[in-house]
């Protein structure tokens, strides 16, 4: 624990800061090292965070999990520990590389970059993510045949959409995702944000919504996908997850759907958050295997 004297700002570094205790001196993370990674995609420089497996051995080959953040107007930044039902630190502790990309549409890389996904959901941003996977595989001992994809909210949408566009991912876990932007427009409770991104309402330009919908390309999906959602989610309603699961099942793609009672967009019950993580670990373990 530290104490800062009055008037001491963060720009002053540690000047004026007094250490009060040594309670955390022996604390060691239960996960691997995290490094900032940069790569080129189209005309953009893209940044993301790569978490190495705990007890990383460069002589071994490891699976990789890509975790896409929500938003899309958000960003993964450096922080301590994990959270929620999907935890990069837990994946790392279990022997996975974990890539947390900040694809176009994310904050922190300029206005042009943040606006670059408008009317283009699932295309340029997916290229950014796949280029990030290529950058990791080129630099680290990752088994390119054992790459998984997950995410919540916008990350859940990307997980659903990506498996209809590429066979790069061998397993996916879609949390609170969006599978069909046309039906979503009339189901969700936050649709005011959609017109600035899509350029028009779904009633005026259904084509732009269809183009970004996983359901449109469902016959291309082959990736085993676990789908999880809360039954009271107003932001990414449960019917979106049901529709995606139903379509995968109809196409004979391995899939499971878990709907959690009395949960909204962010789960409140610790038992449900743990259950999501347990099921996710088991799903990736089945199709990717752990690194250790």
């Amino acid at each position: 624990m530290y104490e800062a004297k009055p008037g001491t700002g963060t720009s002053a570094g540690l000047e004026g800061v007094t250490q009060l205790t040594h309670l955390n001196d022996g604390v060691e993370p239960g996960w691997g090292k995290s490094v900032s990674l940069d790569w080129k995609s189209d005309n953009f420089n893209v940044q993301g965070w790569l978490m190495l497996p705990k007890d990383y051995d460069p002589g071994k080959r490891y699976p990789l999990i890509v975790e896409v953040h929500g938003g899309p107007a958000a960003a993964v930044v450096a922080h301590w520990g994990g959270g929620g039902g999907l935890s990069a630190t837990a994946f790392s502790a279990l022997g996975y590389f974990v890539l947390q990309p900040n694809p176009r549409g994310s904050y922190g890389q300029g206005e042009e970059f943040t606006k670059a996904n408008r009317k283009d959901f699932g295309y340029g941003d997916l290229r950014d993510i796949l280029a990030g996977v290529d950058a990791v595989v080129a630099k680290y001992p990752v088994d390119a045949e054992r790459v998984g994809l997950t995410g919540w909210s916008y990350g859940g949408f990307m997980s659903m959409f990506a498996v209809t566009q590429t066979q790069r991912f061998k397993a996916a876990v879609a949390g609170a995702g969006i599978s069909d932007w046309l039906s979503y427009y009339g189901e969700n409770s936050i649709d005011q944000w959609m017109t600035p991104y899509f350029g028009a309402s779904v009633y005026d330009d259904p084509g732009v919504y269809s183009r970004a919908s996983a359901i449109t390309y469902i016959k291309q999906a082959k990736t085993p996908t676990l789908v999880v959602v809360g039954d009271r989610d107003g932001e990414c309603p449960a019917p979106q997850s049901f529709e995606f699961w139903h379509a995968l099942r109809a196409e004979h793609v391995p899939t499971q759907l878990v709907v959690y009672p009395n949960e909204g967009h962010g789960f409140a019950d610790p038992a449900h958050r743990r259950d999501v993580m347990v099921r996710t670990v088991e799903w990736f373990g089945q199709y990717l295997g752990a690194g250790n």
Side-chain angles (χ1 to χ4, degrees), residues 13-284:
L14 293 178
E15 183 181 350
V17 177
T18 303
Q19 186 167 0
L20 300 179
T21 74
H22 293 269
L23 291 175
N24 295 321
D25 285 359
V27 173
E28 294 288 340
W31 52 89
K33 178 182 178 181
S34 184
V35 298
S36 179
L37 194 67
D38 296 275
W39 61 90
K40 189 79 171 178
S41 178
D42 296 341
N43 294 321
F44 291 114
N45 292 313
V46 186
Q47 184 272 342
W49 296 94
L50 181 68
M51 190 170 291
L52 278 59
K54 188 178 185 299
D55 303 322
Y56 170 59
D57 179 354
K60 293 183 177 180
R61 288 174 64 79
Y62 296 86
L64 168 68
I65 293 175
V66 180
E67 182 184 346
V68 183
H69 65 67
V76 180
V77 298
H79 61 279
W80 174 267
L86 301 173
S87 171
T89 55
F91 296 142
S92 169
L94 292 169
Y96 293 93
F97 275 96
V98 186
L99 175 63
Q100 296 179 288
N102 286 313
R104 67 190 71 183
S106 302
Y107 288 151
Q109 298 176 73
E111 183 177 359
E112 181 184 357
F113 189 86
T114 301
K115 294 168 60 176
N117 64 343
R118 295 188 177 181
K119 300 183 75 173
D120 194 48
F121 275 14
Y123 292 92
D125 40 10
L126 180 56
R127 291 197 300 275
D128 294 347
I129 292 167
L130 292 174
V133 173
D134 290 339
V136 174
V137 171
K139 190 172 183 179
Y140 292 91
V142 168
D143 185 346
E145 296 302 314
R146 292 194 293 161
V147 180
L149 177 65
T150 190
W152 200 271
S153 192
Y154 170 77
F157 153 69
M158 284 301 302
S159 298
M160 291 178 175
F161 190 80
V163 300
T164 70
Q165 303 299 305
T166 176
Q167 304 303 316
R168 189 73 182 273
F169 303 104
K170 305 307 177 186
V173 178
I178 298 168
S179 62
D180 185 348
W181 290 105
L182 290 91
S183 59
Y184 173 81
Y185 196 95
E187 293 172 353
N188 78 90
S189 59
I190 58 167
D191 61 297
Q192 296 90 343
W193 71 271
M194 298 181 71
T195 299
Y197 275 101
F198 287 89
S201 78
V202 71
Y203 314 117
D204 293 322
D205 188 2
V208 71
Y209 290 85
S210 178
R211 179 177 179 270
S213 295
I215 288 298
T216 303
Y217 314 100
I218 197 65
K219 285 190 171 292
Q220 299 173 182
K222 307 296 179 186
T223 304
T225 304
L226 170 65
V227 182
V228 296
V229 69
D231 70 343
R232 297 187 179 184
D233 193 334
E235 296 180 39
C236 297
Q240 290 295 309
S241 291
F242 181 88
E243 186 174 354
F244 190 68
W245 165 81
H246 187 278
L248 289 180
R249 189 182 62 167
E251 294 301 312
H252 308 291
V253 177
T255 185
Q256 290 182 9
L257 171 68
V258 185
V259 181
Y260 292 83
N262 303 314
E263 293 287 9
H265 194 56
F267 284 12
D269 189 333
H272 289 163
R273 294 200 296 269
R274 286 194 300 271
D275 190 73
V276 169
M277 191 61 198
V278 168
R279 290 177 185 273
T280 298
V281 167
E282 290 177 348
W283 193 261
F284 284 136

